[in-house]
């Protein structure tokens, strides 16, 4: 299933980072599902180090707000 594959990939990424002395800031980590669908069929519950990652509708990355539909509306509203 897709959610299991996603979690396995995240676990491998965490292990790879630990081997190289890198850490994730779980407090700063957010998840966004980019889609044009109105109803999401299944929302995965991803976790890092057994801590759930919150799924947000909008996230800020390098000063730009991204929303689930990849529209510019939230970013433009903040700029106004």
């Amino acid at each position: 299933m897709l959610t299991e594959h996603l979690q396995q990939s995240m676990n491998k990424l965490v292990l790879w980072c630990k081997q190289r002395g890198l850490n994730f800031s779980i407090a700063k980590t957010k998840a966004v599902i980019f889609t044009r669908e109105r109803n999401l069929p299944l929302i995965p519950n991803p976790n890092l180090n057994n801590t759930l990652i919150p799924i947000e509708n909008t996230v800020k990355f390098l000063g730009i707000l991204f929303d689930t539909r990849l529209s510019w509306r939230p970013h433009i509203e903040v700029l106004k």
Side-chain angles (χ1 to χ4, degrees):
M1 183 172 233
L2 183 61
T3 56
E4 293 169 3
H5 185 68
L6 172 67
Q7 189 60 55
Q8 288 174 357
S9 297
M10 288 176 57
N11 293 342
K12 288 179 184 178
L13 181 62
V14 168
L15 180 62
W16 184 89
C17 288
K18 278 185 182 179
Q19 291 171 345
R20 285 151 181 82
L22 302 171
N23 292 330
F24 284 98
S25 173
I26 296 176
K28 294 180 180 180
T29 303
K30 308 277 189 255
V32 154
I33 299 172
F34 298 110
T35 181
R36 292 185 182 256
E37 298 292 323
R38 292 187 187 269
N39 298 321
L40 294 175
L42 176 64
I43 297 177
N45 292 322
N47 67 64
L48 278 174
N49 297 331
N50 296 322
T51 303
L52 286 178
I53 299 173
I55 297 176
E56 304 283 334
N57 290 329
T58 60
V59 291
K60 193 173 202 177
F61 182 71
L62 297 176
I64 299 174
L65 281 173
F66 292 94
D67 68 337
T68 58
R69 298 182 142 246
L70 290 176
S71 71
W72 291 100
R73 186 175 305 264
H75 185 70
I76 292 171
E77 291 296 322
V78 169
L79 293 176
K80 286 200 291 187

